[in-house]
Amino acid sequence: MSTNDALKMLYKECLKLDPNEATQLILGAETEEEQEFYSMVSDLVLQQRQRKVIEENRF
């Protein structure tokens, strides 16, 4: 599997991330760098969901 394919799979999996799961990942991170990564992924997923809600006028 190429790096490109692996990253695409990672992106799709991240989109499924539940906010509670994200919190657990952040709290369970072994390093500050890992914690920051999970936080950024969580923020991105939430932003995308918010954008979709706004576009659909569901707010």
Side-chain angles (χ1 to χ4, degrees), residues 16-58:
K16 300 176 189 175
L17 190 62
D18 178 85
N20 292 327
E21 290 176 312
T23 300
Q24 291 305 312
L25 282 170
I26 294 165
L27 294 174
E30 295 180 13
T31 65
E32 188 175 322
E33 186 176 75
E34 186 180 357
Q35 185 179 32
E36 185 177 338
F37 174 78
Y38 295 140
S39 292
M40 290 189 308
V41 169
S42 177
D43 288 346
L44 174 65
V45 172
L46 287 174
Q47 288 171 4
Q48 289 179 333
R49 289 177 184 165
Q50 287 172 334
R51 187 176 308 126
K52 184 176 179 181
V53 168
I54 291 169
E55 287 173 357
E56 294 174 355
N57 293 318
R58 295 188 310 161

